[in-house]
Amino acid sequence: MHVTGQISRRTLLKATGVAAGAVGVGGAVVAAPAQAATGGFAHPGLLHTRTDLTRMAAKVKANAAPYTAGYAKLTANRHAQAGWTANPQATVYRGAGSPQNYATLYNDIHAAYQNALRYHVGGDSAHADTAVAILNAWSAKLTAVAGSADRFLAAGLYGYQFANAAELVRDHGDFDLARFQEMLSKVFAPLSDDFLVHHNNAVVTNYWTNWDLCAMACLLATGIFCDDKAQVARAVDYFKHGEGLGSIKNAIPVVYDDGLGEWLEAGRDQGHALLGVGLMGTFCEMAWNQGIDLYGYDDSRFLKGAQYVAKWSMGGKVDYTANTRRKGAIGGWSGSETATAAAPVDPAMTRPIWAMISNHYTKRRALPATYLTQITAKSAPEGGGGDYGPNSGGYDQLGFGTLAFTRDRSTTPTATASPAPTSADARPQSADSTPVSSSPAGSGNDLAATGSSDVVGWAAAAGITTVAGGVLLLRRRERMRRGSAE
């Protein structure tokens, strides 16, 4: 089987090289949204635009399938009930050796998001008020995210989710926008930014794809929420050129002749591979809503990787190229591991990630994506946090894709670039985005936490009897270069 692949060796740029008013897309330059050229981003403009929210409300009001089934999943979730009481903490801890309390945070975030989404679809202001109360309580108290290396996971996952919840109520009269922006820019974004630069003082390939991707998602989401163009540009640059395993060509290092792209963590286990695909889809969707097309970047490389994971997760046979990755601490312990086969899967395992990705490619772009279509139908209707078990793995995605991302097939499919947001979606804001020092990098013994136990617990709680296993997928350092330059 012929394969192609490429590794980009560029380092993360601390200063943006993207000019205001234009963004690179697959080697071309396309106009950024008009709002970005004047200093702001489109709002709401993370996972959901105003057009998206209007579509959801109209479809549910019209009793249209499958929106009604998706909305029923939302209204049945215990987090989506008005009156949820927040339990904010001054410091959130995640990881071994710390007084872990991060479950309080992710439960409150999902309650804020679900209530905010329910308000936009159903119209009951009590849900908006509940979301605002939760978000204001946390921004008034939270000052740090700490713990072992897992603090970087907490900052990344909950930073991007917090921003998305707040984006849905940023215009609410009682929401303290400036204080929330300050919290995101001083507590969450610096940890994610630092991780992408230093990787916790580890060799760059020590951390798996999903570590980079959650940090990237946080950097992008909080940058958009806080109208920090330089931060957004750093996140986009890392997606294209980052040295870590979350950049597009490192996450999907091999493209096969059958059009499928090998997902790096497929040889590790199914749960983390699904997490990574969901995070990359989240990153692409948020960028798309600001006029930046990463879904189509590098000949729609993400489509090829998502199709690969969809086929493999349903029990299909996929090709695999052996990989070796280095691991260890800079100036400390070191080693390497190699794997030669994709891990076993449980076809019953799922996460609420597929509707967003498949609807982009098959509906917005009118492209064929057989495996995405099949796994999306199999996973519907998608729920959210609280529907996939009690442990943190069940809260890694905001979910509810059947409601939020189902769309009619485009009669004028987009070839390369996303449509510029309308002026109704834009409300430029200013924010203090001065960098603040993050927690110090961990020692060599602080490198190996991966959240594996959470994935096992989440799978078992969801009624899944077999958790994906197999040897770790490890990075092959030398790849054949693609025929066309970037």
Side-chain angles (χ1 to χ4, degrees), residues 86-461:
N87 183 22
Q89 307 293 309
T91 302
V92 166
Y93 297 93
R94 176 168 176 167
S98 61
Q100 297 192 84
N101 61 352
Y102 68 102
T104 298
L105 175 59
Y106 65 67
N107 275 281
D108 279 359
I109 290 174
H110 282 257
Y113 172 77
Q114 291 180 27
N115 271 279
L117 187 62
R118 187 170 177 180
Y119 160 70
H120 280 286
V121 178
D124 186 346
S125 62
H127 294 290
D129 294 341
T130 297
V132 167
I134 296 168
L135 299 169
N136 282 346
W138 276 92
S139 68
K141 189 166 185 178
L142 182 66
T143 59
V145 173
S148 67
D150 281 12
R151 69 190 183 276
F152 294 111
L153 291 176
L157 291 168
Y158 311 136
Y160 96 76
Q161 292 176 2
F162 241 157
N164 270 278
E167 183 79 346
L168 293 178
V169 295
R170 67 182 295 138
D171 293 325
H172 191 286
D174 294 331
F175 177 57
D176 195 330
L177 174 62
R179 192 174 70 196
F180 204 85
Q181 288 176 319
E182 182 178 24
M183 179 189 69
L184 290 179
S185 64
K186 291 185 176 180
V187 176
F188 291 92
L191 275 171
S192 291
D193 211 349
D194 182 77
F195 181 81
L196 293 176
V197 176
H198 299 111
H199 287 88
N200 198 31
N201 201 36
V203 295
V204 72
T205 55
N206 184 80
Y207 289 98
W208 290 103
T209 298
N210 70 86
W211 286 76
D212 267 8
L213 284 170
C214 69
M216 291 158 60
C218 174
L219 205 63
L220 180 65
T222 59
I224 292 170
F225 187 84
C226 297
D227 289 293
D228 187 334
K229 290 191 293 182
Q231 182 173 310
V232 169
R234 291 198 302 276
V236 172
D237 182 80
Y238 198 93
F239 175 92
K240 297 176 179 179
H241 309 302
E243 289 196 0
L245 300 184
S247 62
I248 183 70
K249 292 186 180 72
N250 292 344
I252 308 169
V254 180
V255 173
Y256 294 98
D257 282 345
D258 61 3
L260 300 183
E262 183 174 302
W263 188 262
L264 187 68
E265 284 191 284
R268 180 190 184 190
D269 63 57
Q270 185 184 7
H272 286 98
L274 292 173
L275 169 60
V277 170
L279 287 169
M280 186 170 283
T282 294
F283 191 91
C284 290
E285 184 70 17
M286 294 187 298
W288 174 271
N289 286 333
Q290 297 298 332
I292 306 168
D293 182 17
L294 301 178
Y295 276 119
Y297 182 73
D298 192 26
D299 194 27
S300 296
R301 195 180 189 95
F302 177 49
L303 169 62
K304 298 166 186 176
Q307 282 264 89
Y308 177 100
V309 174
K311 179 182 180 181
W312 167 66
S313 288
M314 292 187 292
K317 185 180 183 301
V318 292
D319 291 298
Y320 186 89
T321 301
N323 284 268
T324 298
R325 73 178 178 108
R326 289 184 59 232
K327 59 180 184 175
I330 295 174
W333 67 278
S334 63
S336 65
E337 294 177 304
T338 302
T340 58
V345 300
D346 179 352
M349 181 181 286
T350 190
R351 285 180 180 241
I353 64 175
W354 297 112
M356 175 175 59
I357 302 166
S358 65
N359 272 276
H360 173 80
Y361 288 113
T362 66
K363 300 296 179 64
R364 278 185 181 140
R365 282 198 150 115
L367 295 173
T370 301
Y371 303 115
L372 285 175
T373 300
Q374 290 175 354
I375 203 166
T376 299
K378 181 181 177 182
S379 302
E382 289 180 354
D387 292 322
Y388 297 87
N391 297 312
S392 63
Y395 292 81
D396 287 340
Q397 282 83 30
L398 290 169
F400 301 104
T402 304
L403 168 66
F405 302 110
T406 299
R407 59 188 74 246
D408 297 327
R409 189 179 182 89
S410 175
T411 56
T412 55
T414 306
T416 54
S418 58
T422 64
S423 58
D425 284 339
R427 190 169 79 85
Q429 300 288 335
S430 61
D432 177 9
S433 56
T434 304
V436 177
S437 297
S438 62
S439 301
S443 63
N445 290 332
D446 191 31
L447 297 177
T450 61
S452 297
S453 61
D454 277 334
V455 173
V456 173
W458 156 71

